[in-house]
Amino acid sequence: MTYENILISSENQIATVTINRPTKLNALNVATIQELHHVFNTLELNPEIRVIILTGTGEKAFVAGADIAEFAHFSVEEGAHLAASGQELLFDFVEKLKTPVIAAVNGFALGGGLELAMACHFRIASDNAKMGLPEVSLGVIPGYGGTQRLPQLVGKGRAMEMIMTAGMISAEDAYRVGLVNHVVPQAELLEFCNGIAAKILKNSPVAIGQAIKAVNANFKEGVNGFETEIKAFGKCFGTADFKEGTSAFLEKRKADFKGN
Ligand code: COA
């Protein structure tokens, strides 16, 4: 598949996916969501790729939201379908990937843009980034999981205030409330993310995939996360990575994980 709205590069088992609609501040239209679904699925199936970094093109925006022009005249049914299909194809899909996905938030992350960053496994922001869920200023609410993931990350009260005021917060404030893990100068953002990715690469990909599943279980209604953890823990014992990791420790050498 050739992509019109995203760019991909990879080096040293790290793939960088860049949303590339600069004239629309990388706003997420349906075509971009479909392309992102395809690229994430392809990267997940590629054993050579062990970490994915997601960012936006240019210095101004990660993603300035869902594409307002595309949904402005939607009906009730079309609106509900937009949210449901987007959540399934992209937001829930990214969250459940076994391959770690780091959001490199390089500027505005608004509405669907912040929702996408929140669906990633964690976030690093550049110092000029601004984040918010401005949907109520348009007469709608966050529909790509924002009402669920923002309270998970920053607590109910802060999420309520951000959603009700439709305001933006700075990268520093996002760091203070736990929405992003680090804030770095914009010019250093990708290098910093690659540095974290390099630390992840040293560890077992199978164990990381099981850890993502177990952590996600904490936030799923009707799922006992402790049970999920027990099963995932047990599964690790049947992997070559576990044999390699424990043997390497006992033999005082570096582990060479194959990801199986
Ligand atoms: N959907 C569609 N187009 C968008 C967009 C979005 N979410 N965000 C920005 N764009 C487009 C603008 O319409 C403009 O296109 P044009 O040049 O064809 O008119 C272009 O991107 C540049 O944006 P502009 O508003 O001129 O930049 P700015 O620097 O003045 O303002 C923002 C930047 C991010 C503050 C402003 O673009 C904005 O408020 N965007 C919408 C944010 C939002 O409400 N997102 C949630 C959607 S649910």
Side-chain angles (χ1 to χ4, degrees):
M1 183 173 179
T2 52
Y3 301 113
E4 281 184 19
N5 304 300
I6 53 182
L7 307 169
I8 307 137
S9 62
S10 64
E11 201 178 355
N12 301 330
Q13 300 185 299
I14 302 166
T16 302
V17 176
T18 306
I19 301 169
N20 186 38
R21 295 186 77 211
T23 59
K24 297 293 169 195
L25 300 185
N26 305 324
L28 285 181
N29 58 0
V30 170
T32 307
I33 289 176
Q34 287 169 344
E35 289 185 11
L36 284 167
H37 172 80
H38 189 273
V39 79
F40 277 119
N41 193 39
T42 306
L43 293 171
E44 173 86 334
L45 295 172
N46 182 349
E48 292 302 311
I49 298 300
R50 292 194 178 177
V51 182
I52 302 168
I53 297 170
L54 177 65
T55 193
T57 212
E59 293 179 356
K60 195 165 170 183
F62 173 71
V63 170
D67 192 319
I68 299 168
E70 200 176 56
F71 67 69
H73 45 269
F74 272 12
S75 66
V76 169
E77 290 74 23
E78 288 170 324
H81 179 259
L82 182 74
S85 64
Q87 290 196 18
E88 184 186 337
L89 283 178
L90 182 57
F91 299 80
D92 292 353
F93 192 78
V94 166
E95 185 175 65
K96 286 187 202 151
L97 290 177
K98 293 199 267 324
T99 313
V101 184
I102 305 171
V105 181
N106 58 306
F108 288 115
L110 302 175
L114 179 56
E115 290 172 299
L116 182 56
M118 292 193 294
C120 295
H121 298 123
F122 59 91
R123 290 142 293 283
I124 317 293
S126 59
D127 49 7
N128 65 316
K130 285 200 175 353
M131 281 155 262
L133 292 179
E135 285 87 346
V136 298
S137 72
L138 300 166
V140 68
I141 69 166
Y144 288 145
T147 63
Q148 306 304 297
R149 293 193 181 97
L150 188 60
Q152 287 168 5
L153 286 162
V154 306
K156 183 176 172 185
R158 286 194 184 99
M160 285 286 197
E161 183 180 338
M162 280 180 70
I163 291 169
M164 288 177 196
T165 61
M168 294 183 207
I169 62 170
S170 65
E172 274 308 325
D173 282 347
Y175 172 73
R176 196 173 43 77
V177 299
L179 187 51
V180 303
N181 292 9
H182 307 271
V183 179
V184 297
Q186 187 172 49
E188 295 164 25
L189 179 63
L190 286 183
E191 191 188 336
F192 188 89
C193 291
N194 273 283
I196 294 189
K199 290 184 188 171
I200 295 174
L201 289 181
K202 291 183 184 154
N203 303 316
S204 157
V206 211
I208 286 171
Q210 292 294 342
I212 291 172
K213 193 175 172 186
V215 173
N216 280 343
N218 185 31
F219 300 98
K220 296 285 170 243
E221 201 168 324
V223 173
N224 183 326
F226 290 97
E227 289 295 335
T228 305
E229 184 184 272
I230 289 165
K231 281 197 194 118
F233 180 81
K235 271 191 192 159
C236 292
F237 286 70
T239 66
D241 273 8
F242 174 73
K243 306 275 178 286
E244 169 62 12
T246 47
S247 305
F249 177 82
L250 295 172
E251 292 162 16
K252 301 190 188 302
R253 62 174 172 83
K254 269 194 185 159
D256 178 16
F257 292 115
K258 302 288 186 220
N260 54 32

